[in-house]
Structures are given as structure tokens and as C-alpha cells.
Amino acid sequence: MVTASHNPKMDNGYKVYWTNGAQIIEPHDKGIKSQILKNLPTIELGEYFDYEKQLVKYPLEPLREKTMNLYFEDALKQISINSQEVNAKCKPIVHTSMHGVGHIFFTNLMKRLGFKEPIAVKEQMLPDPEFSTVIYPNPEEGEGSLNLSFKTADANGCEIVLANDPDADRLAVAEKQKDGNWRIFTGDQLGSMFAYYFVKNYKGDLSKCALVASTVSSKMIKGIAEKYKLRFEETLTGFKWISNKVIDLEKEGYTVLFSYEEAIGFSIGSVVRDKDGVVAGCCFAQLYAQLCEKNMTLSEYLEEIYKDVGLSLIHICRCRRIERCRSRWSPYH
């Protein structure tokens, strides 16, 4: 899969997935590398550069609509928690796709879940490879990338913003506070809210369930798992490790309710064996709809979690300390 993600426009990259639907880990990465090296130098493609001839011989099958519908159907089976009536009463939500591909997926799935149509940030609604309204199209950057979202929300009387990055695999959330300022939640705060929400809404045996997070993420969901008797697993950094761990747990008979990494990457169910900002956004909208019924804010919900489970201390290493470390390491490089 080729993706620009939220990188600068000149930096396209690619991801390689295995047959289990997750990104490759050992030994598959080394196996692929060895096959590439074994087949160097590259062969002359000759007639394969004649695209017209090849299209006659191997016509392309348009898969967009078919694939999208399969995605929506699978997602609805796995993430429909609220009734459509609860979702329909939800307060309006502003959504930005940050000049990427998320708009059509997010609005379509929200409609199928029974929500009113989200209010789109029109200037960022459609794909734009120039990312013309932001310096860096990553909602992790915070206020700098969300200014237009806040402006749209203020103009429409909305209290919540959901933001996807351009390839729609990440989700940022912000809430308007009583003093009129906007609070942008961290990935760890969102991870805690997600985990608590899924645990509290699960109808089966929680001892047969699990939560997964990477080692750089908060230990808050470990606390949630311990309090409510779920299994918790920690992985190396990156969703290739998280998704493969989820698959391993499923083979052991566990239902993995939720997995995440602090860099606003969240995975729910098996619709996609990777972080998925669209499914995450629709799940968060359902969480928000439940809070609207209780006349409760996201900030108040987070405080409720802290009171129930406790706090998790996160120590952030400042840049000066990093520079001192680098200076100490430099003689060894």
C-alpha cells in the first residue's frame, strides 16, 4: 500500500501487509528483503511498459464501491454499541479530514450508525496534495492544525471536534471548555476513555477479554484491565507489533476490546488490522452520544475514570535532556 500519510507532500512511503492482514514483522521482512536481493539487478520490463496493451490483456476491475461497502458492513457488525435512537440525539459534531481521504468514509459510516451528518470543515474536506490550509497536516500538532476546525465549530455552536489525518488512520479529539477555550486531548487520554468505554459497555465475560497498548503509551489502560479483570498486553512501538499481538490473543480465545498507541492511533475490532481513524472516530462519536444523554462532558468523563481507576504518571523527557544525552553518546558513533 502506497501512502503519504501526514508526511510532507514529497515524502510518499509504503506499508507491506502479510496474509493475516497485519503489517509484516520477522521473519517475513527478512524473507522479502532476501528475495529482492536475490533478484537484483532488475529485469527489463520491455512490453510491460505498454500500458494500453496490458490493459486489454489484463483489464482492471473497479473495486472502490465493492470494497467500501464490505468495509461499512463489517464495521457496523463490530462497532454498533448504541441504539440508533441514542446516536440520533447526539449533539452536532465537527469533522475534518485534513485534506485527505477520510470525509466520505466517516460521513457514510456515521449515517449508517444513525447520527446526524457531521459538520465538515469545508476548506479541508476534499483531498488536496498541497495541504493548502495547514503547514503540517497532522492533527497531533494540535492547535496549529485544528484552527479551522475550531472556527467551524464556534460558528455552528458545536462543542466537539473529531480530526483525521490525511490517510485517515489517526484520530484527534478536542472539546470546547466552559471558559470558551478548546482542550485537545492527548492520545493517552483518548486511549483511556476508549478502553473504559468498551469495558463498561461489554456484555460478556470480561475475563475472556484483553486490552493492548505499546510500551510508549500510558499505563492507564493496564490499570483499567487490572481493576476489571481483563488481560493486558504491552508490545513494542508500532501497530505492526500491536496488530500481530491482537491476532495471537484471538488465537488463544480472547476478545480484544481495544488496542492503541499514544500517537493517536486506535484499533477496534478486526475490520482493519491496523490503526483506523474512521472506525475510531465513529466509536468515539458513540461514546460522546452516551455522554450527551447524561449531560456530561468529555473532561468530566475523564475525571470519572481517574476517580474509579486512579492516575497514571507520564514523564516527558524535555529537549534539553535529550541534547545532553546525545552529546554523551556522540563519541560512540
Side-chain angles (χ1 to χ4, degrees):
M1 182 185 77
V2 177
T3 173
S5 188
H6 54 261
N7 299 317
K9 60 187 178 184
M10 66 289 296
D11 291 341
N12 278 333
Y14 66 90
K15 297 177 180 179
V16 180
Y17 292 82
W18 198 242
T19 53
N20 63 1
Q23 291 184 61
I24 56 169
I25 55 174
E26 292 183 347
H28 307 308
D29 52 354
K30 291 179 180 176
I32 291 169
K33 179 182 177 182
S34 69
Q35 289 300 312
I36 292 171
L37 293 174
K38 195 181 292 184
N39 286 282
L40 291 177
T42 55
I43 61 171
E44 286 293 329
L45 293 180
E47 69 170 0
Y48 287 96
F49 280 114
D50 189 337
Y51 299 121
E52 290 185 7
K53 186 182 291 185
Q54 291 304 311
L55 285 172
V56 171
K57 191 174 181 180
Y58 305 106
L60 296 177
E61 180 187 353
L63 296 174
R64 175 186 165 95
E65 295 301 321
K66 179 181 178 181
T67 305
M68 283 177 66
N69 284 327
L70 287 172
Y71 172 81
F72 294 136
E73 288 168 13
D74 204 8
L76 281 172
K77 290 175 188 174
Q78 295 190 41
I79 70 168
S80 296
I81 294 176
N82 299 348
S83 67
Q84 297 235 341
E85 289 74 25
V86 169
N87 291 342
K89 295 175 185 175
C90 182
K91 293 179 183 178
I93 293 171
V94 164
H95 174 258
T96 177
S97 51
M98 205 70 70
H99 297 300
V101 298
H103 174 75
I104 188 171
F105 288 90
F106 182 75
T107 53
N108 197 316
L109 189 50
M110 286 283 281
K111 182 179 179 181
R112 293 179 189 224
L113 286 165
F115 285 93
K116 301 184 189 80
E117 185 172 348
I119 299 167
V121 179
K122 292 181 180 178
E123 300 91 333
Q124 299 173 340
M125 187 172 74
L126 299 176
D128 173 10
E130 299 299 323
F131 304 129
S132 53
T133 67
V134 290
I135 296 172
Y136 195 55
N138 182 359
E140 267 192 287
E141 294 296 301
E143 189 172 348
S145 62
L146 295 174
N147 282 333
L148 277 174
S149 299
F150 297 158
K151 184 178 177 181
T152 302
D154 289 338
N156 288 276
C158 296
E159 298 171 1
I160 186 173
V161 165
L162 303 182
N164 291 131
D165 65 338
D167 64 346
D169 64 351
R170 297 174 195 261
L171 174 74
V173 179
E175 180 184 55
K176 193 169 188 176
Q177 304 299 289
K178 292 177 182 178
D179 62 5
N181 292 316
W182 284 89
R183 178 182 184 180
I184 303 168
F185 295 100
T186 68
D188 283 323
Q189 289 169 335
L190 296 176
S192 299
M193 286 191 269
F194 266 128
Y196 197 72
Y197 168 72
F198 289 123
V199 167
K200 284 292 192 178
N201 281 275
Y202 189 68
K203 305 301 183 188
D205 182 0
L206 285 173
S207 69
K208 305 279 190 190
C209 297
L211 299 171
V212 179
S214 68
T215 189
V216 296
S217 303
S218 163
K219 302 301 177 271
M220 190 72 189
I221 75 165
K222 181 181 180 182
I224 294 171
E226 287 174 350
K227 167 142 192 172
Y228 289 95
K229 312 302 181 189
L230 288 79
R231 181 167 169 179
F232 172 76
E233 287 289 338
E234 190 171 271
T235 73
L236 296 174
T237 305
F239 260 84
K240 66 179 182 179
W241 301 107
I242 292 172
S243 296
N244 278 282
K245 175 57 70 176
V246 168
I247 292 168
D248 290 343
L249 287 166
E250 289 174 351
K251 288 176 181 176
E252 292 182 43
Y254 286 91
T255 298
V256 180
L257 298 182
F258 173 66
S259 58
Y260 94 104
E261 188 161 80
E262 51 77 36
I264 58 172
F266 312 102
S267 179
I268 299 109
S270 59
V271 184
V272 176
R273 296 294 192 181
D274 205 337
K275 55 186 181 290
D276 182 345
V278 172
V279 162
C282 291
C283 286
F284 204 88
Q286 291 184 89
L287 185 163
Y288 182 59
Q290 285 191 10
L291 296 184
C292 289
E293 272 205 320
K294 300 174 184 176
N295 198 28
M296 192 177 191
T297 68
L298 293 173
S299 295
E300 289 168 346
Y301 185 63
L302 196 56
E303 287 298 319
E304 181 181 282
I305 298 169
Y306 294 154
K307 289 174 184 176
D308 184 29
V309 180
L311 295 170
S312 177
L313 178 65
I314 302 170
H315 182 70
I316 300 173
C317 186
R318 301 295 177 188
C319 292
R320 284 184 204 166
R321 191 171 298 170
I322 293 172
E323 288 304 319
R324 285 202 299 272
C325 291
R326 282 179 178 165
S327 66
R328 290 174 187 168
W329 294 336
S330 59
Y332 301 101
H333 287 276

